[in-house]
Amino acid sequence: SQQGEEDPQALSIQEGENATMNCSYKTSINNLQWYRQNSGRGLVHLILIRSNEREKHSGRLRVTLDTSKKSSSLLITASRAADTASYFCATDGTGANNLFFGTGTRLTVIP
Amino acid sequence: SAVISQKPSRDICQRGTSLTIQCQVDSQVTMMFWYRQQPGQSLTLIATANQGSEATYESGFVIDKFPISRPNLTFSTLTVSNMSPEDSSIYLCSVRGYYQETQYFGPGTRLLVL
């Protein structure tokens, strides 16, 4: 299977704290994308990092990519209750024209 | 970014019946995909909807169970045939535009089969 793994499966933090989620994958990739899903609804695209990039920022989000370890991390700084959601990484594999998703991390931010 | 709509947003169906889900995009896109998300699980790709030709199915998914149409560059349908309770899932349409890396998702169709 090309599905990636994410850890932790669930994370509960206080508002204002930082949240870090990790993603590991198995194949060579063109890019890796992070998504947020609120309560079983559609996916919202957060950020894309290409295979030749090591770090990317977008607002309170910071994504790193280590292709040698086939892993990525998503850091959300100064978390808010509205960040409560499930977060998924998805890899766009070399030679593939679609995304394969990780298992997801369920983040709960306590006000 | 593409704006994607799906119909219906949710449905409750009886075992043995079929449901067709529609996906409409506000711009022409190269790639359209259908994903399934079973309760509490991640997303699994069902198939790539090809315009003017048969869809490309992933392992474990077959055309008889999940027939797909894509008559043009902005519209696709997924039918879930002869449903059983195991088909209860969220079905998501996803698109990617010309020369784009970012893939966008529709709001999903939540299906419950009784």
Side-chain angles (χ1 to χ4, degrees), chain A residues 3 30-31 33 35 37 39-43 45 48 50 88 92 96-104, chain B residues 31 33 35 37 40-45 48 58 90 92 94 96 101-108 110:
Chain A
Q3 186 179 56
N30 294 318
N31 62 65
Q33 304 183 40
Y35 292 85
Q37 185 179 40
S39 188
R41 302 178 69 178
L43 273 70
H45 187 267
L48 179 153
R50 296 185 178 90
F88 294 92
D92 185 350
N97 287 315
N98 49 57
L99 295 179
F100 290 93
F101 279 78
T103 49
Chain B
M31 315 284 285
F33 309 96
Y35 286 80
Q37 186 179 28
Q41 303 295 314
S42 186
L43 281 76
T44 301
L45 179 66
T48 302
E58 296 299 307
I90 300 173
L92 296 118
S94 180
R96 186 184 300 191
E101 298 168 291
T102 302
Q103 193 162 318
Y104 298 99
F105 284 79
R110 189 186 291 254

Side-chain angles (χ1 to χ4, degrees), chain A residues 16-87:
Chain A
E17 294 180 338
N18 297 340
T20 299
M21 290 158 266
N22 302 296
C23 167
S24 61
Y25 57 92
K26 299 176 182 177
T27 64
S28 297
I29 63 171
N30 294 318
N31 62 65
L32 185 145
Q33 304 183 40
W34 284 90
Y35 292 85
R36 183 185 74 226
Q37 185 179 40
N38 289 86
S39 188
R41 302 178 69 178
L43 273 70
V44 174
H45 187 267
L46 295 177
I47 197 165
L48 179 153
I49 186 166
R50 296 185 178 90
S51 60
N52 62 353
E53 298 175 313
R54 292 297 166 258
E55 187 171 312
K56 210 162 181 181
H57 297 255
S58 177
R60 294 184 295 114
L61 304 180
R62 173 178 168 254
V63 169
T64 63
L65 179 64
D66 186 336
T67 53
S68 67
K69 295 181 180 178
K70 290 188 169 56
S71 67
S72 175
S73 67
L74 171 67
L75 168 67
I76 303 174
T77 60
S79 64
R80 306 165 181 169
D83 294 329
T84 294
S86 291
Y87 292 81

Side-chain angles (χ1 to χ4, degrees), chain B residues 44-63:
Chain B
T44 301
L45 179 66
I46 298 172
T48 302
N50 300 310
Q51 194 240 339
S53 64
E54 194 171 284
T56 305
Y57 289 85
E58 296 299 307
S59 176
F61 298 96
V62 295
I63 187 171

